Each structure stands twice: as C-alpha cells, then as structure tokens.
Amino acid sequence: MGMKDQFQDKAEELKEQARQRAGQGRDEASERGQQPREPREPRERASRERERQEPGRQEPGRQTPDEAQRASRDAQERFDQDYDI
C-alpha cells in the first residue's frame, strides 16, 4: 500500500467519523427538543412578577435607555477630546 493510499484511507475514515458524530448530535438535539421544559427557578419567577407589578423600577446597575445614550455620548466626547477629533 502506497503513501497516497494510506492518506486517502485516513481521510475517508475521518470523514465517516465526522458524519457519525454529526448524526449523533442531531439525534441528541431532537431528543432534547422533545423533553418537557424544566420549571423556572422560583427566584427568577419572582423577579419577573415583581417587574410586571413595578414596571418603572430598574434592577440595580441597569441604566435607562436615556442614561445609556447619555453615557455613550459623554464617552465619545471624552475620546474626541483626547484625540483632538
């Protein structure tokens, strides 16, 4: 068996392994899709309910869109000043 045949056989073997693994991945994904969803964590559910009851209340550390836009504009202005644009 020549060198070319050895490399060609190895390439075909690797292709076949890749096809098999891809098929297994699809099978696992379809099985996962058929399983019922797990219930959400109570803490997560409670925070969602609280957000519905108090729509104006923000999580700590979160900015409103206006604040985010203002902060972005300020950062751009500082950058422009630093580099004299």
Side-chain angles (χ1 to χ4, degrees), residues 40 42-53:
R40 296 197 182 274
R43 191 176 338 148
E44 186 177 329
R45 191 178 316 128
S47 68
R48 283 218 169 94
E49 290 174 8
R50 193 177 321 114
E51 287 175 9
R52 271 190 249 125
Q53 292 172 356

Side-chain angles (χ1 to χ4, degrees), residues 24-66:
Q24 288 174 348
R26 273 187 245 128
D27 293 342
E28 290 174 8
S30 64
E31 287 175 13
R32 264 187 259 123
Q34 294 172 356
Q35 294 175 353
R37 291 183 63 185
E38 295 179 11
R40 296 197 182 274
E41 293 290 321
R43 191 176 338 148
E44 186 177 329
R45 191 178 316 128
S47 68
R48 283 218 169 94
E49 290 174 8
R50 193 177 321 114
E51 287 175 9
R52 271 190 249 125
Q53 292 172 356
E54 302 172 18
R57 185 173 177 272
Q58 291 278 322
E59 290 182 23
R62 278 240 166 127
Q63 295 178 334
T64 63
D66 292 336

